[in-house]
Amino acid sequence: MNNARPRPLWFLAELTYKCPLQCPYCTNPLDLHRHSNELSTEEWLDALSQARELGSVQLGFSGGEPLVRKDLEQIVEHARTLGFYSNLITTGIGLTEQRVKTLKSLGLDHIQLSIQNKAKTPADFFGKTRSLSHKKHIAKWIKDAGFPMVVNIVLHRQNLDCVEELIQTAIEIGANDIELANAQYHGWAFKNKHHLIPTKSQLEKSEKIANTYQQRYNGKVNIFYVVPDYYEGTPKPCMCGWGNISMTISPDGYVLPCLSAPILPELDLPNVRDHKLDWIWHESDAFNKYRGEDWMLEPCKSCPQRSVDFGGCRCQAYMITGDARNADPACNLSYHHDLVKRMLDPDQKGEALLMRNVPNSRKLGELSTSDS
C-alpha cells in the first residue's frame, strides 16, 4: 500500500437494503429489484478484514435496516476483533433488550437511533408503522446498556413545524447528541422533492428554535442543525472529497465512493467479489475519477474554495445538470445555480428539465414494504 495516498478512515457497511419502514426520503436505490444478491456472512467478514488492513478505523453498520441481518452479531464481533470503532445506524425496529445487551457484550461501541416524528399521525405517514412509543423503550435499553446514543432526525417540509417537539422528544429519551439533518435530495428524496423541500420561512424558524436549545443545553446535549445546501448558497464538502477518507460497500458488494455513486452512468463500479479492496481504493477508475482536482471544470478549477468543498457533490451535479463534472449547482457560483432556484420555485417551472436524468419511479408514499 502506498502510504502517501489517502486512506478510507470511515468505512460504511450497508448490510442490507431491506427495511420495515417506507420513508420517502430513503437513501436506498430507486431500482431496488436489481440489488437482491446480498453478501454472505463470510464475504462481509472478509470485507471488514480487508478494510481494516487498508487503514479504516471507524465502521458504520447501515442499510436499509441492518438489524434485519440475522448474522449482525457475528459481524459485530468480528469488527471488534479487528479493532474497529463500530456504530449501529438503525431505526431500532428489530431491537430487543436482550439483543442490545448482546451487541454490547460483543463489542459494538455506539448506536445512532432515528426517529421520524413526535406526533403519531405524521410518524405513521413517514414511517408506515406505529414505532415511536416502541422507540422510547429501545432508547432506554440503549442507555441502560451503557451505549452513547445519537438521535438522528431527518427534517423536511412535512415535519419542520414540529422541530421543537422533536428536540424535546430526543432529549426526553436520553440522547447524548441530536442531529437535526435537513434532507439531502438524492434518491427517493429527489424524486419526492416537491413534497419534502421546505420553505425558507420554515428553515429560518426551525433554525432559531434549534439555536435556542443549543444554548439551553450547552455542555449537556450536543445539538447539530444541518441546513439543506439548496438554501445555503455554498456546497457541502461531500464525503470530505471523493475517494479521500470514506468508502461504502453496498449489500450486493459494490464498493462506492459515496452512497449515490451508482447513479453516475460513466462509473464502472467495482465489486468486492471480483477485486481486493486495496486495488479498488487505490487503482480503480471509480475511486480515481473525481479524486483530487484535475477533473474540475470552471468555476471550481480556479476557485479558492476548491480544496475546502471539493466542488461539492458529483451526484447532485449529475442529477441536476446532467454532467457530474460541473460545479455543484447548490453553489451560488455555479453556472447552473439557476436550476436550484427553480427547484425552490413553488410553481415548479423547472420540473421537466430537472427530472430528465432520473429513472421513472413512484410518487410519495408508493414505496412498498416488499421493496424496502
Side-chain angles (χ1 to χ4, degrees):
M1 181 175 71
N2 185 346
N3 292 324
R5 296 183 180 182
R7 294 185 298 159
L9 301 176
W10 167 246
F11 173 42
L12 182 65
E14 287 196 292
L15 298 180
T16 182
Y17 286 136
K18 298 182 179 71
C19 182
L21 301 185
Q22 302 172 36
C23 305
Y25 46 78
C26 182
T27 58
N28 274 352
L30 301 182
D31 56 345
L32 282 172
H33 63 283
R34 298 178 58 186
H35 301 274
S36 59
N37 186 19
E38 293 185 354
L39 294 178
S40 68
T41 304
E42 290 303 318
E43 286 172 324
W44 271 118
L45 299 184
D46 182 56
L48 264 61
S49 296
Q50 290 186 54
R52 189 73 180 97
E53 290 176 4
L54 197 53
S56 297
V57 293
Q58 293 197 25
L59 168 64
F61 296 115
S62 182
E65 173 49 69
L67 291 167
V68 170
R69 292 280 303 217
K70 294 181 180 180
D71 57 358
L72 175 63
E73 283 78 1
Q74 186 176 350
I75 298 172
V76 166
E77 184 176 24
H78 185 62
R80 167 54 62 192
T81 65
L82 294 172
F84 274 110
Y85 182 92
S86 59
N87 179 26
L88 178 65
I89 303 167
T90 178
T91 66
I93 308 303
L95 268 181
T96 63
E97 186 173 11
Q98 183 55 53
R99 199 172 190 189
V100 171
K101 291 177 179 178
T102 299
L103 289 169
K104 181 68 174 178
S105 69
L106 293 174
L108 185 70
D109 295 292
H110 194 280
I111 294 180
Q112 176 180 304
L113 181 67
S114 65
I115 61 176
Q116 278 65 48
N117 209 317
K118 187 175 190 299
K120 279 190 174 181
T121 301
D124 293 343
F125 181 70
F126 283 100
K128 295 295 183 184
T129 183
R130 293 186 179 275
S131 61
L132 185 58
S133 60
H134 183 50
K135 287 190 182 184
K136 291 183 178 180
H137 293 293
I138 293 169
K140 185 178 186 303
W141 299 335
I142 292 170
K143 297 296 293 183
D144 288 348
F147 281 108
M149 183 177 69
V150 172
V151 169
N152 176 266
I153 305 165
V154 178
L155 299 176
H156 43 75
R157 186 192 306 171
Q158 308 297 333
N159 71 357
L160 262 174
D161 295 330
C162 303
V163 71
E164 186 163 12
E165 294 176 276
L166 291 165
I167 294 172
Q168 290 173 347
T169 297
I171 292 171
E172 176 188 336
I173 65 177
N176 300 96
D177 301 276
I178 302 172
E179 293 182 355
L180 301 167
N182 278 278
Q184 299 301 303
Y185 296 97
H186 295 197
W188 288 100
F190 188 79
K191 293 298 295 183
N192 294 319
K193 60 187 178 297
H194 292 306
H195 299 275
L196 299 176
I197 292 178
T199 64
K200 188 173 183 179
S201 61
Q202 277 186 308
L203 286 174
E204 290 173 345
K205 181 180 178 181
S206 63
E207 189 169 13
K208 286 180 181 178
I209 292 171
N211 288 338
T212 297
Y213 277 86
Q214 286 171 339
Q215 295 171 12
R216 185 180 303 172
Y217 286 89
N218 184 33
K220 300 176 182 178
V221 180
N222 297 312
I223 301 173
F224 305 94
Y225 185 90
V226 182
V227 179
D229 48 9
Y230 285 179
Y231 282 97
E232 282 191 297
T234 55
K236 291 181 173 62
C238 186
M239 309 307 294
C240 294
W242 184 280
N244 193 26
I245 66 168
S246 63
M247 174 175 62
T248 296
I249 297 184
S250 71
D252 46 354
Y254 287 96
V255 188
L256 314 174
C258 76
L259 284 172
S260 297
I263 73 167
L264 302 180
E266 74 276 14
L267 285 187
D268 182 15
L269 292 171
N271 195 293
V272 73
R273 287 171 168 145
D274 304 319
H275 303 280
K276 294 294 185 182
L277 284 184
D278 185 274
W279 179 88
I280 291 172
W281 177 259
H282 289 306
E283 307 299 335
S284 71
D285 180 66
F287 274 82
N288 283 290
K289 186 79 173 180
Y290 301 110
R291 184 177 265 157
E293 300 178 1
D294 290 345
W295 59 270
M296 290 183 177
L297 305 178
E298 294 293 354
C300 295
K301 190 174 183 179
S302 57
C303 179
Q305 294 297 307
R306 65 185 182 278
S307 60
V308 176
D309 59 32
F310 311 104
C313 176
R314 298 303 90 225
C315 301
Q316 190 156 272
Y318 170 72
M319 284 189 297
I320 298 177
T321 75
D323 189 339
R325 298 172 301 167
N326 285 328
D328 187 335
C331 179
N332 57 19
L333 298 178
S334 166
Y335 303 147
H336 302 89
H337 186 58
D338 186 59
L339 295 178
V340 168
K341 291 182 179 179
R342 294 188 198 184
M343 293 176 70
L344 306 179
D345 183 346
D347 294 331
Q348 303 173 11
K349 294 175 182 177
E351 175 68 6
L353 176 64
L354 293 167
M355 297 306 294
R356 66 185 178 185
N357 297 314
V358 183
N360 291 330
S361 65
R362 292 152 290 183
K363 295 181 180 179
L364 180 66
E366 294 180 349
L367 180 58
S368 68
T369 303
S370 62
D371 288 331
S372 298

